[in-house]
């Protein structure tokens, strides 16, 4: 008894799948809507890396389905090639080749010929990284060092501005990573990206705010000095907690001007634990970094007055449910998730471990800093001289 293979997904179902995927629906929601297993939906998405394929554009001058139907009727009627070509205003050689390549006069069918033409039109050229092995090796090496595609592109443009052979966009790198059927970048490098996703994901998500307790005498972010707002002076930091599993967490402090990150070990998220940890960390910092600190409305800094009294910094708080007001810190916390993904237990990490992770992020080329590197002293001796001891610099 022969086994019957599982039927594939129809073109209409795939079109609906991609429409729903673009709108931000999850795989489970799409599978229920299409009445297909989630694995089948994921297989279709994975084949294209989660990137919706573009609609094919017929080449100018190609025969249309209407013309092929006219040819089919004329063939059945016994019309000559020249008479068919005259009716369609086409060259006789075009009509002759069309009939010959689709079975001849005895087997020509318009629908089958149209399908065959569509298949034949799919002759994709090799992607850029496959055509350029030198560029591919550079991209793979930097991906293996956990650089983001945008950092790779920025660094290549900075170092090889005159070399057209090393020109590439970050979108091309992403497509080469996620479209595993191309086979140009090892699939394991998906794990080197910050999100560690196997496919491209839509960014259409809604985040609902949550109720927060009131912090007494919290100064609003609007009171923050203008030099903090326009990033003209270093030392104005933004901070937050990054939460792990089993009630573990770390605190992050990010300089608004230079995006310099400090990660602080804290045993609990209670204010009696977080405030002393921040006081100890500020004691290690250069005074140039100790001007102000902006936090969200989390109750871990309910004792902010003790922090201000011990360190001399000014404390400011963002509006409730307004993470964009602390965009520098929110963006940096997202970068940190590459090393401390959600679900990670952070209770075993020492301060030395956290300093090593911070050093990795601080020594990456940043788009906002012109893709220059701290570790070589090329990304702004101002960073090193003004703040001091953030990285090694031969000129300091």
């Amino acid at each position: 008894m022969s086994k019957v293979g599982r039927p594939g997904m129809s073109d209409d179902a795939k079109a609906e799948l991609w429409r729903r995927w673009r709108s931000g629906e999850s795989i489970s929601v799409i599978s229920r809507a299409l009445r297909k297993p989630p694995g089948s939906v994921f297989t279709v998405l994975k084949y294209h890396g989660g990137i919706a394929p573009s609609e094919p554009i017929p080449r100018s001058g190609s025969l249309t389905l209407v013309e092929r139907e006219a040819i089919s009727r004329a063939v059945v009627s016994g019309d000559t090639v020249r008479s068919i070509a005259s009716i369609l205003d086409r060259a006789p050689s075009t009509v002759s080749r069309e009939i010959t390549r689709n079975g001849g006069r005895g087997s020509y069918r318009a629908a089958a010929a149209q399908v065959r033409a569509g298949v034949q039109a799919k002759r994709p050229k090799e992607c850029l990284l496959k055509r350029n092995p030198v560029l591919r090796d550079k991209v793979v090496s930097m991906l293996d060092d956990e650089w983001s595609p945008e950092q790779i592109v920025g660094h290549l443009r900075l170092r090889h501005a005159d070399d057209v052979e090393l020109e590439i966009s970050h979108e091309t790198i992403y497509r080469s990573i996620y479209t595993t059927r191309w086979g140009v970048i090892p699939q394991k490098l998906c794990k080197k990206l910050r999100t560690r996703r196997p496919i491209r994901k839509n960014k259409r998500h809604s985040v609902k705010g949550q109720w927060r307790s009131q912090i007494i005498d919290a100064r609003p972010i609007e009171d923050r000095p203008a030099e903090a707002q326009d990033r003209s002076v270093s030392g104005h930091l933004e901070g937050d907690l990054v939460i792990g599993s089993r009630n573990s967490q770390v605190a992050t402090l990010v300089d608004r001007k230079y995006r310099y990150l400090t990660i602080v070990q804290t045993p609990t998220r209670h204010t009696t634990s977080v405030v002393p940890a921040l006081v100890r960390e500020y004691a290690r910092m250069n005074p140039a970094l100790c001007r102000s600190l902006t936090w969200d409305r989390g109750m871990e800094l309910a004792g902010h007055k003790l922090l201000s009294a011990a360190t001399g910094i000014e404390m400011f708080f963002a509006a409730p449910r307004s993470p964009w007001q602390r965009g520098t810190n929110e963006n940096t916390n997202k970068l940190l998730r590459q090393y401390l993904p959600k679900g990670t237990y952070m209770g075993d990490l020492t301060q030395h471990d956290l300093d090593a992770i911070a050093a990795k992020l601080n020594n990456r080329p940043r788009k906002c800093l012109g893709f220059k590197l701290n570790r070589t002293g090329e990304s702004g001796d101002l960073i090193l001289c003004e703040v001091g001891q953030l990285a090694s610099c031969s000129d300091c």
Side-chain angles (χ1 to χ4, degrees), residues 350-366:
T350 65
Q351 187 59 53
H352 179 74
D353 296 331
L354 299 176
D355 290 343
I357 295 173
K360 275 184 170 287
L361 289 170
N362 289 330
N363 287 327
R364 284 184 178 181
R366 298 293 298 272

Side-chain angles (χ1 to χ4, degrees), residues 243-317:
I243 307 302
S245 64
R246 292 186 286 160
N247 293 319
S248 63
Q249 61 284 306
V250 296
T252 57
L253 303 172
V254 190
D255 182 72
R256 278 181 55 80
K257 181 175 182 180
Y258 294 123
R259 276 69 168 185
Y260 185 78
L261 168 66
T262 302
I263 311 176
V264 185
Q265 183 188 42
T266 174
T268 72
R269 68 190 69 174
H270 194 272
T271 188
T272 56
S273 175
V274 175
V275 169
L278 293 179
V279 170
R280 288 193 299 271
E281 190 59 38
Y282 267 101
R284 295 200 307 161
M285 289 184 183
N286 188 288
L289 284 175
C290 304
R291 290 189 169 93
S292 75
L293 175 61
T294 304
W295 207 268
D296 65 4
R297 293 282 169 160
M299 291 304 293
E300 62 270 11
L301 276 194
H304 63 93
K305 292 183 178 180
L306 296 176
L307 178 61
S308 294
T311 62
I313 63 170
E314 291 187 278
M315 279 297 309
F316 303 96
F317 292 88

Side-chain angles (χ1 to χ4, degrees), residues 77-311:
S77 301
D79 294 350
T80 65
V81 169
R82 289 190 175 278
S83 64
I84 298 172
S86 176
I87 294 172
L88 299 179
D89 195 20
R90 292 279 188 175
S93 59
T94 299
V95 177
S96 178
R97 283 195 300 267
E98 172 69 14
I99 297 173
T100 302
R101 69 165 61 105
N102 289 285
R105 284 181 169 271
S107 302
Y108 186 87
R109 298 292 183 274
Q114 182 73 12
V115 171
R116 183 180 181 278
V119 173
Q120 290 293 104
K122 295 179 180 179
R123 296 192 297 272
K125 65 180 180 180
E126 291 182 334
C127 66
L128 175 61
L129 292 182
K130 199 160 188 176
R131 301 195 308 270
N132 190 335
V134 174
L135 177 58
R136 176 194 173 278
D137 290 344
K138 286 183 176 292
V139 170
V140 169
S141 175
M142 287 184 274
L143 284 172
D144 197 42
D145 286 339
E146 299 171 342
W147 289 22
S148 73
E150 194 170 31
Q151 289 171 339
I152 293 171
V153 172
H155 188 63
L156 289 175
R157 289 175 179 171
L158 185 68
R159 290 295 188 88
H160 308 281
D162 299 328
D163 192 344
V164 295
E165 291 297 317
L166 296 181
E167 289 182 358
I168 192 172
S169 69
H170 65 275
E171 178 63 22
T172 298
I173 298 177
Y174 274 119
R175 286 177 178 267
S176 300
I177 294 171
Y178 286 125
T179 311
T180 53
R181 61 190 172 92
W182 291 351
V184 292
I185 291 181
Q187 192 171 1
K188 64 181 182 180
L189 290 183
C190 280
K191 298 293 184 181
K192 296 283 187 175
L193 297 176
R194 291 170 191 142
T195 61
R196 303 190 179 190
R197 296 190 186 107
I199 60 176
R200 172 69 62 83
K201 188 175 182 180
N202 277 291
K203 297 181 179 179
R204 299 189 181 186
H205 298 286
S206 60
V207 179
K208 296 181 179 179
Q210 55 182 344
W211 181 84
R212 291 278 191 174
S213 300
Q214 295 297 316
I215 297 179
I216 299 175
D217 296 331
R219 293 181 65 184
I221 195 172
E222 289 78 12
D223 291 350
R224 195 163 60 177
E227 63 185 24
Q229 187 65 28
D230 60 19
R231 306 177 191 269
S232 60
V233 177
S234 65
H236 297 284
L237 310 184
E238 294 178 1
D240 196 9
L241 291 184
V242 175
I243 307 302
S245 64
R246 292 186 286 160
N247 293 319
S248 63
Q249 61 284 306
V250 296
T252 57
L253 303 172
V254 190
D255 182 72
R256 278 181 55 80
K257 181 175 182 180
Y258 294 123
R259 276 69 168 185
Y260 185 78
L261 168 66
T262 302
I263 311 176
V264 185
Q265 183 188 42
T266 174
T268 72
R269 68 190 69 174
H270 194 272
T271 188
T272 56
S273 175
V274 175
V275 169
L278 293 179
V279 170
R280 288 193 299 271
E281 190 59 38
Y282 267 101
R284 295 200 307 161
M285 289 184 183
N286 188 288
L289 284 175
C290 304
R291 290 189 169 93
S292 75
L293 175 61
T294 304
W295 207 268
D296 65 4
R297 293 282 169 160
M299 291 304 293
E300 62 270 11
L301 276 194
H304 63 93
K305 292 183 178 180
L306 296 176
L307 178 61
S308 294
T311 62

